[in-house]
Amino acid sequence: MHVAYWTVAGLLALFYAYAGGKKILQTQEQLRPMMGWVDTVPMPLVKAIGTLEVLGALGLLLPPLTGTAVPLALAAAVGLVLIQIGGMTLHLSRGEVREIGLNITLLILAAVAAWLATTWL
């Protein structure tokens, strides 16, 4: 179970560190070609989402690695599930049904990470 957790958590952490970092560091104009939804969401909220994604990535890895506050890994995974629910809601409200495939995949992986994180508790 630990190998499965590290595999799933590692993949999620890489994705969210990258995606969240882009949201934090790039401007609306730079994000627009990849994320058309940034025109409908205030940039401070986009930056907040990026920050939550980076914190989620760190939360998946650091607590189990350090053995400190290990339940935070479960909280991070649940938080990432909630981010994806919000992402799917945004895409569906914009009529972007085809866009939610990645959201569904990430939601499932985050839910699996949450389930596997319970083995650390």
Side-chain angles (χ1 to χ4, degrees), residues 3-44:
V3 172
Y5 175 80
W6 284 114
T7 302
V8 173
L11 290 172
L12 283 171
L14 282 172
F15 176 84
Y16 282 111
Y18 174 74
K22 284 183 78 67
K23 289 178 186 91
I24 293 168
L25 298 173
Q26 293 188 334
T27 66
Q28 186 176 28
E29 291 75 28
Q30 291 171 317
L31 292 171
R32 189 176 296 121
M34 213 169 143
M35 302 172 203
W37 57 269
V38 297
D39 287 336
T40 60
V41 175
M43 275 312 286

Side-chain angles (χ1 to χ4, degrees), residues 7-96:
T7 302
V8 173
L11 290 172
L12 283 171
L14 282 172
F15 176 84
Y16 282 111
Y18 174 74
K22 284 183 78 67
K23 289 178 186 91
I24 293 168
L25 298 173
Q26 293 188 334
T27 66
Q28 186 176 28
E29 291 75 28
Q30 291 171 317
L31 292 171
R32 189 176 296 121
M34 213 169 143
M35 302 172 203
W37 57 269
V38 297
D39 287 336
T40 60
V41 175
M43 275 312 286
L45 181 56
V46 174
K47 303 285 185 198
I49 293 167
T51 301
L52 291 172
E53 290 176 344
V54 170
L55 290 174
L58 292 172
L60 288 174
L61 301 179
L62 292 180
L65 276 175
T66 63
T68 307
V70 176
L72 288 177
L74 174 59
V78 171
L80 294 174
V81 167
L82 295 174
I83 287 173
Q84 289 312 313
I85 290 171
M88 287 189 296
T89 303
L90 176 69
H91 285 304
L92 290 174
S93 73
R94 291 172 43 95
E96 300 170 341

